[in-house]
Amino acid sequence: MLDTEKVIIVEGRTDKKQIEKILEEEVDIICTNGTLGIERLEQLITDYDLDNKDVFILVDEDSAGHKLRKQLAKELPHAEHIYIDKTFREVAATPESELATALLSRSFGINPIFLF
């Protein structure tokens, strides 16, 4: 676990790997591995000090992703949402250039080779 000011919450490891490849700054990326129980969510909030960090939610555009986004938004009202185009459905299936543009729109440092 890094001690950074920014945290991105994603669903799975493939999402995390895809985002790590694009980023050029140190960011904690938390995998939820699907929906979260209240205790697990509370543990993540404590472990990562999420109440005092810039939190970004980047989940799939499917029913499981929508459910998770809603749950996280309730527990972390200060979190910002990053959306992918519905046509790609999954973060891991989204083209790198699309992800790079989405991350850049939230002021993340990204490797410029992924913009084209």
Side-chain angles (χ1 to χ4, degrees):
M1 176 170 36
L2 303 168
D3 190 23
T4 63
E5 292 305 306
K6 291 181 182 174
V7 176
I8 301 174
I9 300 175
V10 299
E11 287 178 81
R13 283 198 301 269
T14 52
D15 301 338
K16 180 177 180 174
K17 285 186 186 342
Q18 187 79 331
I19 292 166
E20 283 175 333
K21 193 168 35 172
I22 295 167
L23 288 174
E24 269 199 342
E25 67 176 285
E26 295 293 314
V27 177
D28 272 323
I29 301 175
I30 301 170
C31 295
T32 64
N33 300 312
T35 54
L36 291 169
I38 295 297
E39 282 142 26
R40 169 110 164 89
L41 183 52
E42 292 296 328
Q43 191 67 51
L44 287 175
I45 291 170
T46 304
D47 289 352
Y48 288 89
D49 193 24
L50 297 180
D51 288 329
N52 298 305
K53 298 213 174 160
D54 296 328
V55 179
F56 298 84
I57 300 168
L58 176 55
V59 295
D60 295 345
E61 281 296 324
D62 58 14
S63 59
H66 291 225
K67 183 179 175 188
L68 181 59
R69 186 182 293 279
K70 194 174 177 181
Q71 179 186 14
L72 290 168
K74 194 184 305 177
E75 295 296 323
L76 299 163
H78 70 289
E80 288 188 50
H81 296 267
I82 302 173
Y83 295 92
I84 57 166
D85 192 302
K86 286 177 179 46
T87 55
F88 303 119
R89 288 184 52 84
E90 297 177 1
V91 173
T94 302
E96 292 161 344
S97 59
E98 291 278 333
L99 278 177
T101 301
L103 292 165
L104 190 62
S105 75
R106 292 293 192 266
S107 301
F108 281 94
I110 58 149
N111 186 326
I113 67 164
F114 292 107
L115 288 174
F116 306 104

PDB file of all heavy atoms in Angstrom, residues 59-82:
ATOM      1  N   VAL A  59     -15.549   1.756 -12.228  1.00  0.00           N
ATOM      2  CA  VAL A  59     -16.060   0.385 -12.269  1.00  0.00           C
ATOM      3  C   VAL A  59     -16.710   0.102 -13.620  1.00  0.00           C
ATOM      4  O   VAL A  59     -16.960   1.010 -14.407  1.00  0.00           O
ATOM      5  CB  VAL A  59     -17.059   0.126 -11.112  1.00  0.00           C
ATOM      6  CG1 VAL A  59     -16.353   0.208  -9.764  1.00  0.00           C
ATOM      7  CG2 VAL A  59     -18.229   1.090 -11.160  1.00  0.00           C
ATOM      8  N   ASP A  60     -16.995  -1.174 -13.848  1.00  0.00           N
ATOM      9  CA  ASP A  60     -17.607  -1.589 -15.111  1.00  0.00           C
ATOM     10  C   ASP A  60     -18.996  -0.971 -15.292  1.00  0.00           C
ATOM     11  O   ASP A  60     -19.683  -0.659 -14.320  1.00  0.00           O
ATOM     12  CB  ASP A  60     -17.732  -3.108 -15.167  1.00  0.00           C
ATOM     13  CG  ASP A  60     -16.381  -3.812 -15.187  1.00  0.00           C
ATOM     14  OD1 ASP A  60     -15.361  -3.154 -15.436  1.00  0.00           O
ATOM     15  OD2 ASP A  60     -16.355  -5.036 -14.960  1.00  0.00           O
ATOM     16  N   GLU A  61     -19.379  -0.843 -16.553  1.00  0.00           N
ATOM     17  CA  GLU A  61     -20.713  -0.334 -16.878  1.00  0.00           C
ATOM     18  C   GLU A  61     -21.670  -1.512 -17.065  1.00  0.00           C
ATOM     19  O   GLU A  61     -22.183  -1.757 -18.154  1.00  0.00           O
ATOM     20  CB  GLU A  61     -20.650   0.523 -18.160  1.00  0.00           C
ATOM     21  CG  GLU A  61     -20.126   1.923 -17.939  1.00  0.00           C
ATOM     22  CD  GLU A  61     -21.027   2.764 -17.038  1.00  0.00           C
ATOM     23  OE1 GLU A  61     -22.250   2.636 -17.105  1.00  0.00           O
ATOM     24  OE2 GLU A  61     -20.484   3.545 -16.244  1.00  0.00           O
ATOM     25  N   ASP A  62     -21.865  -2.260 -15.996  1.00  0.00           N
ATOM     26  CA  ASP A  62     -22.826  -3.359 -16.006  1.00  0.00           C
ATOM     27  C   ASP A  62     -23.580  -3.323 -14.678  1.00  0.00           C
ATOM     28  O   ASP A  62     -23.324  -2.452 -13.846  1.00  0.00           O
ATOM     29  CB  ASP A  62     -22.136  -4.705 -16.251  1.00  0.00           C
ATOM     30  CG  ASP A  62     -21.065  -5.032 -15.213  1.00  0.00           C
ATOM     31  OD1 ASP A  62     -21.009  -4.373 -14.150  1.00  0.00           O
ATOM     32  OD2 ASP A  62     -20.277  -5.961 -15.453  1.00  0.00           O
ATOM     33  N   SER A  63     -24.497  -4.252 -14.477  1.00  0.00           N
ATOM     34  CA  SER A  63     -25.323  -4.188 -13.260  1.00  0.00           C
ATOM     35  C   SER A  63     -24.487  -4.307 -11.987  1.00  0.00           C
ATOM     36  O   SER A  63     -24.722  -3.602 -11.009  1.00  0.00           O
ATOM     37  CB  SER A  63     -26.435  -5.232 -13.292  1.00  0.00           C
ATOM     38  OG  SER A  63     -25.894  -6.525 -13.405  1.00  0.00           O
ATOM     39  N   ALA A  64     -23.478  -5.196 -11.993  1.00  0.00           N
ATOM     40  CA  ALA A  64     -22.617  -5.339 -10.811  1.00  0.00           C
ATOM     41  C   ALA A  64     -21.836  -4.042 -10.559  1.00  0.00           C
ATOM     42  O   ALA A  64     -21.700  -3.603  -9.405  1.00  0.00           O
ATOM     43  CB  ALA A  64     -21.654  -6.506 -10.984  1.00  0.00           C
ATOM     44  N   GLY A  65     -21.331  -3.431 -11.612  1.00  0.00           N
ATOM     45  CA  GLY A  65     -20.600  -2.171 -11.488  1.00  0.00           C
ATOM     46  C   GLY A  65     -21.477  -1.046 -10.968  1.00  0.00           C
ATOM     47  O   GLY A  65     -21.065  -0.260 -10.118  1.00  0.00           O
ATOM     48  N   HIS A  66     -22.715  -0.982 -11.465  1.00  0.00           N
ATOM     49  CA  HIS A  66     -23.652   0.063 -11.020  1.00  0.00           C
ATOM     50  C   HIS A  66     -23.983  -0.111  -9.536  1.00  0.00           C
ATOM     51  O   HIS A  66     -24.056   0.862  -8.794  1.00  0.00           O
ATOM     52  CB  HIS A  66     -24.928   0.026 -11.853  1.00  0.00           C
ATOM     53  CG  HIS A  66     -24.724   0.459 -13.271  1.00  0.00           C
ATOM     54  ND1 HIS A  66     -25.565   1.316 -13.931  1.00  0.00           N
ATOM     55  CD2 HIS A  66     -23.763   0.158 -14.168  1.00  0.00           C
ATOM     56  CE1 HIS A  66     -25.134   1.520 -15.164  1.00  0.00           C
ATOM     57  NE2 HIS A  66     -24.029   0.816 -15.325  1.00  0.00           N
ATOM     58  N   LYS A  67     -24.168  -1.367  -9.129  1.00  0.00           N
ATOM     59  CA  LYS A  67     -24.477  -1.653  -7.726  1.00  0.00           C
ATOM     60  C   LYS A  67     -23.311  -1.231  -6.834  1.00  0.00           C
ATOM     61  O   LYS A  67     -23.496  -0.603  -5.792  1.00  0.00           O
ATOM     62  CB  LYS A  67     -24.766  -3.152  -7.562  1.00  0.00           C
ATOM     63  CG  LYS A  67     -25.164  -3.565  -6.178  1.00  0.00           C
ATOM     64  CD  LYS A  67     -25.450  -5.057  -6.104  1.00  0.00           C
ATOM     65  CE  LYS A  67     -25.729  -5.481  -4.674  1.00  0.00           C
ATOM     66  NZ  LYS A  67     -25.813  -6.930  -4.542  1.00  0.00           N
ATOM     67  N   LEU A  68     -22.096  -1.585  -7.246  1.00  0.00           N
ATOM     68  CA  LEU A  68     -20.910  -1.227  -6.474  1.00  0.00           C
ATOM     69  C   LEU A  68     -20.725   0.286  -6.423  1.00  0.00           C
ATOM     70  O   LEU A  68     -20.436   0.850  -5.364  1.00  0.00           O
ATOM     71  CB  LEU A  68     -19.669  -1.897  -7.082  1.00  0.00           C
ATOM     72  CG  LEU A  68     -18.349  -1.630  -6.379  1.00  0.00           C
ATOM     73  CD1 LEU A  68     -18.381  -2.076  -4.916  1.00  0.00           C
ATOM     74  CD2 LEU A  68     -17.208  -2.326  -7.123  1.00  0.00           C
ATOM     75  N   ARG A  69     -20.911   0.964  -7.564  1.00  0.00           N
ATOM     76  CA  ARG A  69     -20.770   2.426  -7.619  1.00  0.00           C
ATOM     77  C   ARG A  69     -21.744   3.083  -6.644  1.00  0.00           C
ATOM     78  O   ARG A  69     -21.387   4.014  -5.914  1.00  0.00           O
ATOM     79  CB  ARG A  69     -21.011   2.913  -9.043  1.00  0.00           C
ATOM     80  CG  ARG A  69     -20.736   4.392  -9.236  1.00  0.00           C
ATOM     81  CD  ARG A  69     -21.030   4.850 -10.650  1.00  0.00           C
ATOM     82  NE  ARG A  69     -20.157   4.295 -11.661  1.00  0.00           N
ATOM     83  CZ  ARG A  69     -18.928   4.756 -11.944  1.00  0.00           C
ATOM     84  NH1 ARG A  69     -18.426   5.758 -11.259  1.00  0.00           N
ATOM     85  NH2 ARG A  69     -18.221   4.198 -12.901  1.00  0.00           N
ATOM     86  N   LYS A  70     -22.982   2.591  -6.616  1.00  0.00           N
ATOM     87  CA  LYS A  70     -24.009   3.141  -5.732  1.00  0.00           C
ATOM     88  C   LYS A  70     -23.612   2.949  -4.267  1.00  0.00           C
ATOM     89  O   LYS A  70     -23.734   3.852  -3.446  1.00  0.00           O
ATOM     90  CB  LYS A  70     -25.337   2.451  -6.037  1.00  0.00           C
ATOM     91  CG  LYS A  70     -26.551   3.106  -5.454  1.00  0.00           C
ATOM     92  CD  LYS A  70     -27.803   2.405  -5.969  1.00  0.00           C
ATOM     93  CE  LYS A  70     -29.039   2.996  -5.350  1.00  0.00           C
ATOM     94  NZ  LYS A  70     -30.248   2.315  -5.804  1.00  0.00           N
ATOM     95  N   GLN A  71     -23.135   1.747  -3.949  1.00  0.00           N
ATOM     96  CA  GLN A  71     -22.707   1.428  -2.577  1.00  0.00           C
ATOM     97  C   GLN A  71     -21.541   2.323  -2.154  1.00  0.00           C
ATOM     98  O   GLN A  71     -21.530   2.881  -1.058  1.00  0.00           O
ATOM     99  CB  GLN A  71     -22.307  -0.043  -2.509  1.00  0.00           C
ATOM    100  CG  GLN A  71     -21.833  -0.498  -1.148  1.00  0.00           C
ATOM    101  CD  GLN A  71     -21.307  -1.931  -1.160  1.00  0.00           C
ATOM    102  OE1 GLN A  71     -21.048  -2.513  -2.206  1.00  0.00           O
ATOM    103  NE2 GLN A  71     -21.146  -2.495   0.021  1.00  0.00           N
ATOM    104  N   LEU A  72     -20.544   2.452  -3.039  1.00  0.00           N
ATOM    105  CA  LEU A  72     -19.371   3.279  -2.715  1.00  0.00           C
ATOM    106  C   LEU A  72     -19.743   4.750  -2.586  1.00  0.00           C
ATOM    107  O   LEU A  72     -19.232   5.456  -1.717  1.00  0.00           O
ATOM    108  CB  LEU A  72     -18.292   3.095  -3.787  1.00  0.00           C
ATOM    109  CG  LEU A  72     -17.611   1.726  -3.806  1.00  0.00           C
ATOM    110  CD1 LEU A  72     -16.780   1.572  -5.074  1.00  0.00           C
ATOM    111  CD2 LEU A  72     -16.758   1.515  -2.567  1.00  0.00           C
ATOM    112  N   ALA A  73     -20.642   5.215  -3.448  1.00  0.00           N
ATOM    113  CA  ALA A  73     -21.063   6.619  -3.399  1.00  0.00           C
ATOM    114  C   ALA A  73     -21.746   6.943  -2.078  1.00  0.00           C
ATOM    115  O   ALA A  73     -21.592   8.048  -1.546  1.00  0.00           O
ATOM    116  CB  ALA A  73     -21.991   6.921  -4.570  1.00  0.00           C
ATOM    117  N   LYS A  74     -22.481   5.970  -1.538  1.00  0.00           N
ATOM    118  CA  LYS A  74     -23.174   6.181  -0.266  1.00  0.00           C
ATOM    119  C   LYS A  74     -22.160   6.290   0.878  1.00  0.00           C
ATOM    120  O   LYS A  74     -22.287   7.148   1.749  1.00  0.00           O
ATOM    121  CB  LYS A  74     -24.129   5.011  -0.015  1.00  0.00           C
ATOM    122  CG  LYS A  74     -25.134   5.292   1.083  1.00  0.00           C
ATOM    123  CD  LYS A  74     -26.020   4.097   1.388  1.00  0.00           C
ATOM    124  CE  LYS A  74     -26.721   3.575   0.152  1.00  0.00           C
ATOM    125  NZ  LYS A  74     -27.524   2.364   0.423  1.00  0.00           N
ATOM    126  N   GLU A  75     -21.158   5.413   0.883  1.00  0.00           N
ATOM    127  CA  GLU A  75     -20.167   5.380   1.958  1.00  0.00           C
ATOM    128  C   GLU A  75     -19.062   6.431   1.794  1.00  0.00           C
ATOM    129  O   GLU A  75     -18.431   6.823   2.766  1.00  0.00           O
ATOM    130  CB  GLU A  75     -19.529   3.994   2.053  1.00  0.00           C
ATOM    131  CG  GLU A  75     -20.496   2.897   2.445  1.00  0.00           C
ATOM    132  CD  GLU A  75     -21.065   3.075   3.845  1.00  0.00           C
ATOM    133  OE1 GLU A  75     -20.339   3.522   4.751  1.00  0.00           O
ATOM    134  OE2 GLU A  75     -22.259   2.756   4.023  1.00  0.00           O
ATOM    135  N   LEU A  76     -18.812   6.828   0.552  1.00  0.00           N
ATOM    136  CA  LEU A  76     -17.749   7.799   0.254  1.00  0.00           C
ATOM    137  C   LEU A  76     -18.330   8.935  -0.590  1.00  0.00           C
ATOM    138  O   LEU A  76     -18.028   9.062  -1.784  1.00  0.00           O
ATOM    139  CB  LEU A  76     -16.608   7.111  -0.507  1.00  0.00           C
ATOM    140  CG  LEU A  76     -15.901   5.975   0.233  1.00  0.00           C
ATOM    141  CD1 LEU A  76     -15.102   5.124  -0.736  1.00  0.00           C
ATOM    142  CD2 LEU A  76     -15.012   6.536   1.334  1.00  0.00           C
ATOM    143  N   PRO A  77     -19.160   9.782   0.024  1.00  0.00           N
ATOM    144  CA  PRO A  77     -19.848  10.818  -0.766  1.00  0.00           C
ATOM    145  C   PRO A  77     -18.911  11.816  -1.447  1.00  0.00           C
ATOM    146  O   PRO A  77     -19.289  12.435  -2.433  1.00  0.00           O
ATOM    147  CB  PRO A  77     -20.758  11.508   0.258  1.00  0.00           C
ATOM    148  CG  PRO A  77     -20.237  11.116   1.599  1.00  0.00           C
ATOM    149  CD  PRO A  77     -19.520   9.813   1.431  1.00  0.00           C
ATOM    150  N   HIS A  78     -17.688  11.927  -0.962  1.00  0.00           N
ATOM    151  CA  HIS A  78     -16.735  12.864  -1.574  1.00  0.00           C
ATOM    152  C   HIS A  78     -16.031  12.275  -2.795  1.00  0.00           C
ATOM    153  O   HIS A  78     -15.320  12.982  -3.504  1.00  0.00           O
ATOM    154  CB  HIS A  78     -15.693  13.308  -0.536  1.00  0.00           C
ATOM    155  CG  HIS A  78     -14.734  12.220  -0.138  1.00  0.00           C
ATOM    156  ND1 HIS A  78     -15.123  11.148   0.639  1.00  0.00           N
ATOM    157  CD2 HIS A  78     -13.423  12.035  -0.418  1.00  0.00           C
ATOM    158  CE1 HIS A  78     -14.077  10.348   0.827  1.00  0.00           C
ATOM    159  NE2 HIS A  78     -13.031  10.860   0.194  1.00  0.00           N
ATOM    160  N   ALA A  79     -16.239  10.989  -3.045  1.00  0.00           N
ATOM    161  CA  ALA A  79     -15.553  10.333  -4.165  1.00  0.00           C
ATOM    162  C   ALA A  79     -16.021  10.895  -5.504  1.00  0.00           C
ATOM    163  O   ALA A  79     -17.194  11.236  -5.674  1.00  0.00           O
ATOM    164  CB  ALA A  79     -15.797   8.826  -4.116  1.00  0.00           C
ATOM    165  N   GLU A  80     -15.083  10.962  -6.448  1.00  0.00           N
ATOM    166  CA  GLU A  80     -15.414  11.381  -7.812  1.00  0.00           C
ATOM    167  C   GLU A  80     -15.586  10.125  -8.653  1.00  0.00           C
ATOM    168  O   GLU A  80     -14.919   9.119  -8.427  1.00  0.00           O
ATOM    169  CB  GLU A  80     -14.300  12.244  -8.393  1.00  0.00           C
ATOM    170  CG  GLU A  80     -14.229  13.623  -7.780  1.00  0.00           C
ATOM    171  CD  GLU A  80     -13.245  14.509  -8.532  1.00  0.00           C
ATOM    172  OE1 GLU A  80     -13.332  14.588  -9.768  1.00  0.00           O
ATOM    173  OE2 GLU A  80     -12.384  15.089  -7.862  1.00  0.00           O
ATOM    174  N   HIS A  81     -16.469  10.229  -9.623  1.00  0.00           N
ATOM    175  CA  HIS A  81     -16.755   9.072 -10.474  1.00  0.00           C
ATOM    176  C   HIS A  81     -16.098   9.257 -11.836  1.00  0.00           C
ATOM    177  O   HIS A  81     -16.181  10.317 -12.435  1.00  0.00           O
ATOM    178  CB  HIS A  81     -18.263   8.896 -10.636  1.00  0.00           C
ATOM    179  CG  HIS A  81     -18.937   8.593  -9.340  1.00  0.00           C
ATOM    180  ND1 HIS A  81     -19.181   7.321  -8.908  1.00  0.00           N
ATOM    181  CD2 HIS A  81     -19.380   9.413  -8.351  1.00  0.00           C
ATOM    182  CE1 HIS A  81     -19.767   7.363  -7.721  1.00  0.00           C
ATOM    183  NE2 HIS A  81     -19.894   8.620  -7.362  1.00  0.00           N
ATOM    184  N   ILE A  82     -15.446   8.199 -12.285  1.00  0.00           N
ATOM    185  CA  ILE A  82     -14.871   8.165 -13.631  1.00  0.00           C
ATOM    186  C   ILE A  82     -15.679   7.118 -14.388  1.00  0.00           C
ATOM    187  O   ILE A  82     -15.849   5.992 -13.902  1.00  0.00           O
ATOM    188  CB  ILE A  82     -13.384   7.771 -13.611  1.00  0.00           C
ATOM    189  CG1 ILE A  82     -12.578   8.739 -12.737  1.00  0.00           C
ATOM    190  CG2 ILE A  82     -12.829   7.732 -15.040  1.00  0.00           C
ATOM    191  CD1 ILE A  82     -11.125   8.324 -12.520  1.00  0.00           C
TER     192      ILE A  82
END
